Amino acid sequence: MTNSNKTDTGPGKFSLWFQRRSNARTVARIRGGKGRSMGMDLLVLTTTGRRTGQRHDTPLSRFADGDGWLVIASGGGSSSPQWFRNLTANPDGAAVELPGTGSRAVTPEVLDGPTRDQAWARIVEAQARYAKYQDKSDRLYPVVRLTPRGPTTA
């Protein structure tokens, strides 16, 4: 039996619980030095919650971009994922960890126009699955460049 009054508000409670547990395990693996999953290189992105001010660690696929990395805000259903909303609300609190390394502050830049298009073309050339994900979505996935600033900390 379905509830016809329910609106599409995103993932359900069980899905969110499962995603948090899976993310916690992936973060632990990355911190332990294992930084690949399903053929993709990973990083841990740390953001500051826009409402709570609490630290949030999210594992994301990464794509090399000069001395930094590109990440895609592909999760979240019809709206951008929480990590992206936190990142854009509190960009100064952003940091990344690569497999087996300490945390390093980064400056995020949400790409647009031709710069985004060029980055997106490189991403889907490396991982065609993102083009398939994008085709199924009603929103344009944000692409974010993360540029390191300052030294790596333990």
Side-chain angles (χ1 to χ4, degrees):
M1 183 166 160
T2 62
N3 181 351
S4 62
N5 294 327
K6 184 178 178 187
T7 59
D8 182 20
T9 58
K13 288 181 183 182
F14 176 76
S15 179
L16 289 173
W17 172 85
F18 184 80
Q19 184 176 31
R20 287 184 187 118
R21 299 268 305 184
S22 178
N23 282 355
R25 279 182 271 218
T26 303
V27 166
R29 284 196 316 269
I30 294 168
R31 288 183 173 148
K34 296 178 181 167
R36 286 186 64 82
S37 178
M38 296 177 9
M40 295 184 288
D41 294 323
L42 303 175
L43 60 72
V44 176
L45 175 66
T46 300
T47 57
T48 303
R50 64 193 181 287
R51 293 182 304 213
T52 65
Q54 292 181 12
R55 173 184 153 143
H56 298 281
D57 295 329
T58 306
L60 298 171
S61 56
R62 64 180 161 98
F63 300 87
D65 184 59
D67 64 344
W69 310 273
L70 299 171
V71 294
I72 306 108
S74 58
S78 61
S79 61
S80 293
Q82 295 295 327
W83 69 261
F84 178 77
R85 293 189 229 170
N86 290 337
L87 182 68
T88 56
N90 297 308
D92 294 336
V96 299
E97 293 175 59
L98 296 179
T101 70
S103 180
R104 186 167 191 187
V106 292
T107 300
E109 175 191 1
V110 179
L111 304 181
D112 60 6
T115 305
R116 185 217 177 267
D117 295 342
Q118 290 169 0
W120 182 255
R122 288 186 10 242
I123 289 167
V124 298
E125 182 179 331
Q127 289 292 332
R129 70 184 76 187
Y130 280 103
K132 293 176 186 176
Y133 300 157
Q134 179 65 83
D135 288 344
K136 294 178 184 178
S137 179
D138 60 353
R139 66 181 176 88
L140 185 66
Y141 289 159
V143 176
V144 181
R145 176 181 291 133
L146 302 172
T147 304
R149 58 182 161 84
T152 302
T153 59

